[in-house]
mmCIF file of all heavy atoms in Angstrom:
data_model
loop_
_atom_site.group_PDB
_atom_site.id
_atom_site.type_symbol
_atom_site.label_atom_id
_atom_site.label_comp_id
_atom_site.label_asym_id
_atom_site.label_seq_id
_atom_site.Cartn_x
_atom_site.Cartn_y
_atom_site.Cartn_z
ATOM 1 N N GLU W 239 1.351 5.893 -40.822
ATOM 2 C CA GLU W 239 2.515 5.519 -41.656
ATOM 3 C C GLU W 239 2.880 4.052 -41.489
ATOM 4 O O GLU W 239 3.228 3.390 -42.470
ATOM 5 C CB GLU W 239 3.700 6.429 -41.236
ATOM 6 C CG GLU W 239 4.960 6.201 -42.012
ATOM 7 C CD GLU W 239 4.844 6.595 -43.528
ATOM 8 O OE1 GLU W 239 3.950 7.408 -43.800
ATOM 9 O OE2 GLU W 239 5.626 6.090 -44.311
ATOM 10 N N SER W 240 2.780 3.521 -40.268
ATOM 11 C CA SER W 240 3.222 2.142 -40.015
ATOM 12 C C SER W 240 2.340 1.162 -40.790
ATOM 13 O O SER W 240 2.822 0.142 -41.265
ATOM 14 C CB SER W 240 3.101 1.821 -38.534
ATOM 15 O OG SER W 240 1.781 1.956 -38.078
ATOM 16 N N LEU W 241 1.056 1.468 -41.014
ATOM 17 C CA LEU W 241 0.172 0.564 -41.756
ATOM 18 C C LEU W 241 0.623 0.522 -43.202
ATOM 19 O O LEU W 241 0.637 -0.542 -43.864
ATOM 20 C CB LEU W 241 -1.271 1.030 -41.618
ATOM 21 C CG LEU W 241 -1.899 0.959 -40.225
ATOM 22 C CD1 LEU W 241 -3.289 1.515 -40.259
ATOM 23 C CD2 LEU W 241 -1.876 -0.478 -39.688
ATOM 24 N N ARG W 242 0.896 1.695 -43.814
ATOM 25 C CA ARG W 242 1.291 1.751 -45.231
ATOM 26 C C ARG W 242 2.635 1.084 -45.443
ATOM 27 O O ARG W 242 2.815 0.314 -46.391
ATOM 28 C CB ARG W 242 1.340 3.183 -45.678
ATOM 29 C CG ARG W 242 -0.003 3.902 -45.719
ATOM 30 C CD ARG W 242 0.042 5.124 -46.618
ATOM 31 N NE ARG W 242 1.096 6.063 -46.221
ATOM 32 C CZ ARG W 242 0.925 6.999 -45.312
ATOM 33 N NH1 ARG W 242 -0.254 7.148 -44.720
ATOM 34 N NH2 ARG W 242 1.916 7.816 -45.026
ATOM 35 N N VAL W 243 3.578 1.359 -44.563
ATOM 36 C CA VAL W 243 4.934 0.788 -44.740
ATOM 37 C C VAL W 243 4.888 -0.742 -44.698
ATOM 38 O O VAL W 243 5.586 -1.395 -45.494
ATOM 39 C CB VAL W 243 5.894 1.334 -43.631
ATOM 40 C CG1 VAL W 243 7.194 0.554 -43.616
ATOM 41 C CG2 VAL W 243 6.120 2.829 -43.832
ATOM 42 N N ARG W 244 4.101 -1.341 -43.821
ATOM 43 C CA ARG W 244 4.023 -2.771 -43.670
ATOM 44 C C ARG W 244 3.017 -3.401 -44.635
ATOM 45 O O ARG W 244 2.857 -4.607 -44.642
ATOM 46 C CB ARG W 244 3.695 -3.152 -42.224
ATOM 47 C CG ARG W 244 4.786 -2.799 -41.249
ATOM 48 C CD ARG W 244 4.495 -3.361 -39.854
ATOM 49 N NE ARG W 244 3.366 -2.703 -39.207
ATOM 50 C CZ ARG W 244 2.218 -3.315 -38.933
ATOM 51 N NH1 ARG W 244 2.015 -4.571 -39.325
ATOM 52 N NH2 ARG W 244 1.241 -2.682 -38.364
ATOM 53 N N GLY W 245 2.345 -2.593 -45.399
ATOM 54 C CA GLY W 245 1.399 -3.123 -46.385
ATOM 55 C C GLY W 245 0.151 -3.719 -45.745
ATOM 56 O O GLY W 245 -0.470 -4.635 -46.300
ATOM 57 N N VAL W 246 -0.240 -3.223 -44.560
ATOM 58 C CA VAL W 246 -1.420 -3.782 -43.876
ATOM 59 C C VAL W 246 -2.675 -3.357 -44.588
ATOM 60 O O VAL W 246 -2.870 -2.187 -44.952
ATOM 61 C CB VAL W 246 -1.458 -3.239 -42.420
ATOM 62 C CG1 VAL W 246 -2.739 -3.680 -41.757
ATOM 63 C CG2 VAL W 246 -0.253 -3.841 -41.627
ATOM 64 N N LYS W 247 -3.517 -4.339 -44.885
ATOM 65 C CA LYS W 247 -4.771 -4.057 -45.595
ATOM 66 C C LYS W 247 -5.959 -4.045 -44.654
ATOM 67 O O LYS W 247 -6.881 -3.260 -44.856
ATOM 68 C CB LYS W 247 -4.989 -5.174 -46.627
ATOM 69 C CG LYS W 247 -3.909 -5.203 -47.730
ATOM 70 C CD LYS W 247 -3.918 -3.933 -48.562
ATOM 71 C CE LYS W 247 -3.008 -4.030 -49.729
ATOM 72 N NZ LYS W 247 -1.568 -4.116 -49.340
ATOM 73 N N SER W 248 -5.935 -4.898 -43.623
ATOM 74 C CA SER W 248 -7.090 -4.985 -42.727
ATOM 75 C C SER W 248 -6.656 -4.905 -41.258
ATOM 76 O O SER W 248 -5.610 -5.481 -40.908
ATOM 77 C CB SER W 248 -7.859 -6.320 -42.940
ATOM 78 O OG SER W 248 -8.302 -6.410 -44.239
ATOM 79 N N VAL W 249 -7.419 -4.182 -40.475
ATOM 80 C CA VAL W 249 -7.108 -3.974 -39.059
ATOM 81 C C VAL W 249 -8.345 -4.231 -38.231
ATOM 82 O O VAL W 249 -9.477 -3.846 -38.670
ATOM 83 C CB VAL W 249 -6.567 -2.531 -38.774
ATOM 84 C CG1 VAL W 249 -6.390 -2.308 -37.321
ATOM 85 C CG2 VAL W 249 -5.290 -2.270 -39.529
ATOM 86 N N LEU W 250 -8.192 -4.859 -37.075
ATOM 87 C CA LEU W 250 -9.298 -5.128 -36.184
ATOM 88 C C LEU W 250 -8.765 -4.874 -34.752
ATOM 89 O O LEU W 250 -7.788 -5.459 -34.358
ATOM 90 C CB LEU W 250 -9.767 -6.572 -36.314
ATOM 91 C CG LEU W 250 -11.000 -7.033 -35.546
ATOM 92 C CD1 LEU W 250 -12.213 -6.226 -35.905
ATOM 93 C CD2 LEU W 250 -11.265 -8.529 -35.843
ATOM 94 N N ALA W 251 -9.424 -3.987 -33.987
ATOM 95 C CA ALA W 251 -8.996 -3.709 -32.631
ATOM 96 C C ALA W 251 -10.185 -3.467 -31.732
ATOM 97 O O ALA W 251 -11.126 -2.761 -32.125
ATOM 98 C CB ALA W 251 -8.058 -2.492 -32.632
ATOM 99 N N VAL W 252 -10.187 -4.097 -30.548
ATOM 100 C CA VAL W 252 -11.268 -3.893 -29.645
ATOM 101 C C VAL W 252 -10.732 -3.595 -28.243
ATOM 102 O O VAL W 252 -9.626 -4.082 -27.865
ATOM 103 C CB VAL W 252 -12.214 -5.164 -29.525
ATOM 104 C CG1 VAL W 252 -12.732 -5.520 -30.893
ATOM 105 C CG2 VAL W 252 -11.437 -6.323 -28.958
ATOM 106 N N PRO W 253 -11.435 -2.814 -27.461
ATOM 107 C CA PRO W 253 -10.980 -2.488 -26.092
ATOM 108 C C PRO W 253 -11.286 -3.609 -25.131
ATOM 109 O O PRO W 253 -12.323 -4.265 -25.261
ATOM 110 C CB PRO W 253 -11.728 -1.202 -25.772
ATOM 111 C CG PRO W 253 -13.039 -1.345 -26.501
ATOM 112 C CD PRO W 253 -12.699 -2.066 -27.805
ATOM 113 N N ILE W 254 -10.442 -3.761 -24.124
ATOM 114 C CA ILE W 254 -10.746 -4.658 -22.979
ATOM 115 C C ILE W 254 -11.256 -3.673 -21.925
ATOM 116 O O ILE W 254 -10.464 -2.929 -21.317
ATOM 117 C CB ILE W 254 -9.531 -5.421 -22.518
ATOM 118 C CG1 ILE W 254 -8.997 -6.313 -23.671
ATOM 119 C CG2 ILE W 254 -9.865 -6.257 -21.290
ATOM 120 C CD1 ILE W 254 -7.684 -7.043 -23.309
ATOM 121 N N LEU W 255 -12.556 -3.678 -21.677
ATOM 122 C CA LEU W 255 -13.172 -2.693 -20.769
ATOM 123 C C LEU W 255 -13.394 -3.306 -19.421
ATOM 124 O O LEU W 255 -13.816 -4.462 -19.292
ATOM 125 C CB LEU W 255 -14.475 -2.221 -21.357
ATOM 126 C CG LEU W 255 -14.407 -1.406 -22.664
ATOM 127 C CD1 LEU W 255 -15.797 -1.132 -23.184
ATOM 128 C CD2 LEU W 255 -13.667 -0.076 -22.426
ATOM 129 N N ARG W 256 -13.132 -2.477 -18.407
ATOM 130 C CA ARG W 256 -13.402 -2.891 -17.017
ATOM 131 C C ARG W 256 -13.952 -1.699 -16.289
ATOM 132 O O ARG W 256 -13.259 -0.717 -16.090
ATOM 133 C CB ARG W 256 -12.131 -3.391 -16.322
ATOM 134 C CG ARG W 256 -12.379 -3.979 -14.944
ATOM 135 C CD ARG W 256 -13.300 -5.143 -15.000
ATOM 136 N NE ARG W 256 -13.696 -5.591 -13.690
ATOM 137 C CZ ARG W 256 -14.798 -6.321 -13.461
ATOM 138 N NH1 ARG W 256 -15.645 -6.596 -14.463
ATOM 139 N NH2 ARG W 256 -15.118 -6.708 -12.282
ATOM 140 N N GLU W 257 -15.280 -1.767 -15.953
ATOM 141 C CA GLU W 257 -15.930 -0.669 -15.255
ATOM 142 C C GLU W 257 -15.748 0.620 -16.037
ATOM 143 O O GLU W 257 -15.393 1.661 -15.471
ATOM 144 C CB GLU W 257 -15.432 -0.553 -13.823
ATOM 145 C CG GLU W 257 -15.721 -1.763 -12.976
ATOM 146 C CD GLU W 257 -15.135 -1.613 -11.550
ATOM 147 O OE1 GLU W 257 -14.416 -0.610 -11.307
ATOM 148 O OE2 GLU W 257 -15.478 -2.458 -10.731
ATOM 149 N N ASP W 258 -16.044 0.589 -17.342
ATOM 150 C CA ASP W 258 -16.025 1.751 -18.215
ATOM 151 C C ASP W 258 -14.634 2.312 -18.340
ATOM 152 O O ASP W 258 -14.407 3.501 -18.753
ATOM 153 C CB ASP W 258 -16.985 2.852 -17.762
ATOM 154 C CG ASP W 258 -18.435 2.379 -17.877
ATOM 155 O OD1 ASP W 258 -18.706 1.601 -18.747
ATOM 156 O OD2 ASP W 258 -19.255 2.823 -17.037
ATOM 157 N N ARG W 259 -13.613 1.586 -17.991
ATOM 158 C CA ARG W 259 -12.247 1.969 -18.143
ATOM 159 C C ARG W 259 -11.512 1.015 -19.120
ATOM 160 O O ARG W 259 -11.728 -0.197 -19.028
ATOM 161 C CB ARG W 259 -11.510 1.995 -16.798
ATOM 162 C CG ARG W 259 -10.093 2.490 -16.871
ATOM 163 C CD ARG W 259 -9.412 2.392 -15.493
ATOM 164 N NE ARG W 259 -9.188 0.950 -15.164
ATOM 165 C CZ ARG W 259 -8.131 0.263 -15.570
ATOM 166 N NH1 ARG W 259 -7.225 0.805 -16.358
ATOM 167 N NH2 ARG W 259 -7.983 -0.994 -15.214
ATOM 168 N N VAL W 260 -10.746 1.561 -20.036
ATOM 169 C CA VAL W 260 -10.022 0.684 -20.997
ATOM 170 C C VAL W 260 -8.827 0.112 -20.276
ATOM 171 O O VAL W 260 -7.892 0.819 -19.936
ATOM 172 C CB VAL W 260 -9.620 1.474 -22.244
ATOM 173 C CG1 VAL W 260 -8.882 0.549 -23.191
ATOM 174 C CG2 VAL W 260 -10.822 2.079 -22.957
ATOM 175 N N ALA W 261 -8.876 -1.202 -20.005
ATOM 176 C CA ALA W 261 -7.769 -1.893 -19.347
ATOM 177 C C ALA W 261 -6.776 -2.467 -20.321
ATOM 178 O O ALA W 261 -5.701 -2.937 -19.906
ATOM 179 C CB ALA W 261 -8.336 -2.986 -18.418
ATOM 180 N N GLY W 262 -7.115 -2.487 -21.619
ATOM 181 C CA GLY W 262 -6.217 -3.036 -22.595
ATOM 182 C C GLY W 262 -6.865 -3.030 -23.980
ATOM 183 O O GLY W 262 -8.012 -2.554 -24.137
ATOM 184 N N VAL W 263 -6.169 -3.570 -24.947
ATOM 185 C CA VAL W 263 -6.640 -3.627 -26.339
ATOM 186 C C VAL W 263 -6.245 -4.935 -26.928
ATOM 187 O O VAL W 263 -5.094 -5.382 -26.753
ATOM 188 C CB VAL W 263 -6.054 -2.453 -27.163
ATOM 189 C CG1 VAL W 263 -6.524 -2.587 -28.636
ATOM 190 C CG2 VAL W 263 -6.499 -1.104 -26.613
ATOM 191 N N ILE W 264 -7.178 -5.600 -27.657
ATOM 192 C CA ILE W 264 -6.822 -6.764 -28.490
ATOM 193 C C ILE W 264 -6.719 -6.243 -29.925
ATOM 194 O O ILE W 264 -7.659 -5.657 -30.470
ATOM 195 C CB ILE W 264 -7.884 -7.878 -28.411
ATOM 196 C CG1 ILE W 264 -8.053 -8.315 -26.961
ATOM 197 C CG2 ILE W 264 -7.475 -9.056 -29.293
ATOM 198 C CD1 ILE W 264 -9.166 -9.354 -26.769
ATOM 199 N N TYR W 265 -5.564 -6.440 -30.521
ATOM 200 C CA TYR W 265 -5.258 -5.871 -31.824
ATOM 201 C C TYR W 265 -4.910 -6.977 -32.824
ATOM 202 O O TYR W 265 -4.102 -7.856 -32.531
ATOM 203 C CB TYR W 265 -4.055 -4.925 -31.705
ATOM 204 C CG TYR W 265 -3.550 -4.363 -33.028
ATOM 205 C CD1 TYR W 265 -4.021 -3.190 -33.534
ATOM 206 C CD2 TYR W 265 -2.548 -5.041 -33.707
ATOM 207 C CE1 TYR W 265 -3.543 -2.685 -34.739
ATOM 208 C CE2 TYR W 265 -2.036 -4.557 -34.907
ATOM 209 C CZ TYR W 265 -2.513 -3.357 -35.423
ATOM 210 O OH TYR W 265 -2.033 -2.872 -36.574
ATOM 211 N N LEU W 266 -5.521 -6.976 -34.018
ATOM 212 C CA LEU W 266 -5.224 -7.940 -35.085
ATOM 213 C C LEU W 266 -5.046 -7.174 -36.384
ATOM 214 O O LEU W 266 -5.680 -6.113 -36.628
ATOM 215 C CB LEU W 266 -6.418 -8.916 -35.271
ATOM 216 C CG LEU W 266 -6.884 -9.736 -34.032
ATOM 217 C CD1 LEU W 266 -8.094 -10.554 -34.440
ATOM 218 C CD2 LEU W 266 -5.766 -10.606 -33.528
ATOM 219 N N ASP W 267 -4.211 -7.707 -37.272
ATOM 220 C CA ASP W 267 -4.092 -7.126 -38.603
ATOM 221 C C ASP W 267 -3.698 -8.154 -39.603
ATOM 222 O O ASP W 267 -3.284 -9.293 -39.256
ATOM 223 C CB ASP W 267 -3.183 -5.890 -38.661
ATOM 224 C CG ASP W 267 -1.730 -6.193 -38.462
ATOM 225 O OD1 ASP W 267 -1.283 -7.355 -38.777
ATOM 226 O OD2 ASP W 267 -0.958 -5.307 -38.039
ATOM 227 N N SER W 268 -3.821 -7.843 -40.893
ATOM 228 C CA SER W 268 -3.450 -8.764 -41.994
ATOM 229 C C SER W 268 -2.981 -7.962 -43.187
ATOM 230 O O SER W 268 -3.537 -6.897 -43.486
ATOM 231 C CB SER W 268 -4.647 -9.657 -42.369
ATOM 232 O OG SER W 268 -4.297 -10.477 -43.462
ATOM 233 N N SER W 269 -2.020 -8.512 -43.892
ATOM 234 C CA SER W 269 -1.516 -7.862 -45.113
ATOM 235 C C SER W 269 -2.046 -8.563 -46.320
ATOM 236 O O SER W 269 -1.745 -8.162 -47.453
ATOM 237 C CB SER W 269 0.046 -7.892 -45.139
ATOM 238 O OG SER W 269 0.569 -7.227 -43.999
ATOM 239 N N ASP W 270 -2.865 -9.613 -46.166
ATOM 240 C CA ASP W 270 -3.402 -10.365 -47.282
ATOM 241 C C ASP W 270 -4.626 -9.652 -47.834
ATOM 242 O O ASP W 270 -5.650 -9.476 -47.138
ATOM 243 C CB ASP W 270 -3.780 -11.776 -46.790
ATOM 244 C CG ASP W 270 -4.240 -12.671 -47.910
ATOM 245 O OD1 ASP W 270 -4.434 -12.178 -49.044
ATOM 246 O OD2 ASP W 270 -4.378 -13.896 -47.676
ATOM 247 N N PRO W 271 -4.608 -9.195 -49.129
ATOM 248 C CA PRO W 271 -5.717 -8.493 -49.745
ATOM 249 C C PRO W 271 -6.994 -9.365 -49.744
ATOM 250 O O PRO W 271 -8.113 -8.814 -49.806
ATOM 251 C CB PRO W 271 -5.247 -8.206 -51.176
ATOM 252 C CG PRO W 271 -3.764 -8.327 -51.116
ATOM 253 C CD PRO W 271 -3.453 -9.345 -50.063
ATOM 254 N N ALA W 272 -6.859 -10.646 -49.690
ATOM 255 C CA ALA W 272 -8.027 -11.521 -49.763
ATOM 256 C C ALA W 272 -8.743 -11.639 -48.423
ATOM 257 O O ALA W 272 -9.879 -12.098 -48.339
ATOM 258 C CB ALA W 272 -7.612 -12.926 -50.230
ATOM 259 N N VAL W 273 -8.061 -11.194 -47.336
ATOM 260 C CA VAL W 273 -8.652 -11.276 -46.002
ATOM 261 C C VAL W 273 -9.467 -10.038 -45.741
ATOM 262 O O VAL W 273 -8.981 -8.902 -45.902
ATOM 263 C CB VAL W 273 -7.592 -11.448 -44.913
ATOM 264 C CG1 VAL W 273 -8.198 -11.318 -43.523
ATOM 265 C CG2 VAL W 273 -6.891 -12.799 -45.090
#
Side-chain angles (χ1 to χ4, degrees):
E239 181 67 22
S240 62
L241 296 177
R242 293 199 304 272
V243 170
R244 293 188 292 111
V246 172
K247 298 295 188 293
S248 301
V249 174
L250 185 59
V252 302
I254 301 175
L255 295 173
R256 186 61 187 157
E257 297 178 352
D258 295 329
R259 184 185 69 83
V260 179
V263 177
I264 303 177
Y265 173 92
L266 305 176
D267 70 24
S268 176
S269 303
D270 187 348
V273 171

